[in-house]
């Protein structure tokens, strides 16, 4: 199985977030699964790939040509797909992956997460999606989503397509293909 992880490439984030990314990468490798990710070696992106490789997982990166220097392409990747732009990157990651995990991140992480979530709702794919959030980083987002649902801006069935998890074991269980 190939698992995509969406996470931050920001440089000045807490060490605990880097540790979470490394640990989720390790957990993916321990399952005998492979990692699909944005191909960068900075921040959480680099940590998740290092964690996966430390447990024998293949790491399959997808990086747009213009971002190779900006995101510092991970030269240790098992495979690296260099694509033309972000839209192509997201499509390639979706095609290569069997499941998706979102970790704490910024607008890029949220963009990827929401696109995968909408794609699931629209039945463009039927792959499991989980958010791994042990410290409540996304609690304000969940409050906003609940607000949207209360005012009927979320459709029936949308919320159930994402598993919101507080630890790595429950995240892995949520994406495990039965």
């Amino acid at each position: 199985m190939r698992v995509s992880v969406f996470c931050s490439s920001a440089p000045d984030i807490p060490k605990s977030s880097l540790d979470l990314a490394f640990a989720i990468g390790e957990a993916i490798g321990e399952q005998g699964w492979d990692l699909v990710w944005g191909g960068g070696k900075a921040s959480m992106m680099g940590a998740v790939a290092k964690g996966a490789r430390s447990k024998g997982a293949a790491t399959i990166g997808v990086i747009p040509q213009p971002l190779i220097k900006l995101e510092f392409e991970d030269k240790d990747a098992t495979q690296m797909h260099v694509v033309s732009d972000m839209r192509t990157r997201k499509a390639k990651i979706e095609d290569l992956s069997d499941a998706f995990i979102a970790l704490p991140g910024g607008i890029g992480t949220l963009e990827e997460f929401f696109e995968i979530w909408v794609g699931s709702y629209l039945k463009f794919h039927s792959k499991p999606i989980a958010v791994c959030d042990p410290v409540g980083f996304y609690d304000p987002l969940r409050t906003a989503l609940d607000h949207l649902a209360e005012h009927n801006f979320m459709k029936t069935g949308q919320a159930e397509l994402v598993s919101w998890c507080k630890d790595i074991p429950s995240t892995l269980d949520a994406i495990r293909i039965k």
Side-chain angles (χ1 to χ4, degrees), residues 12-131:
D12 298 321
I13 59 173
K15 183 181 181 314
S16 59
S17 294
L18 298 173
D19 293 343
L20 172 63
F22 188 88
I24 203 91
E26 283 182 314
I28 288 167
E30 287 167 353
Q31 296 297 308
W33 301 340
D34 294 327
L35 171 70
V36 178
W37 94 117
K41 67 178 183 179
S43 190
M44 291 175 77
M45 288 179 70
V48 72
K50 286 177 189 166
R53 283 193 292 267
S54 78
K55 298 298 180 178
T59 54
I60 303 142
V62 183
I63 191 167
Q65 178 68 44
L67 297 185
I68 286 180
K69 290 183 181 172
L70 180 65
E71 290 187 353
F72 308 105
E73 176 187 5
D74 187 335
K75 299 289 188 187
D76 294 325
T78 307
Q79 295 175 34
M80 186 63 70
H81 299 269
V82 178
V83 297
S84 60
D85 55 41
M86 291 298 287
R87 289 181 178 159
T88 307
R89 176 197 228 179
K90 291 182 292 180
K92 186 70 170 176
I93 287 173
E94 181 179 335
D95 289 344
L96 291 170
S97 303
D98 300 305
F100 305 92
I101 296 172
L103 298 178
I107 60 173
T109 302
L110 290 173
E111 178 198 21
E112 292 166 326
F113 166 65
F114 280 119
E115 185 164 327
I116 287 299
W117 188 359
V118 169
S120 177
Y121 179 72
L122 296 175
K123 305 212 181 310
F124 294 149
H125 71 85
S126 59
K127 301 170 185 181
I129 306 165
V131 176

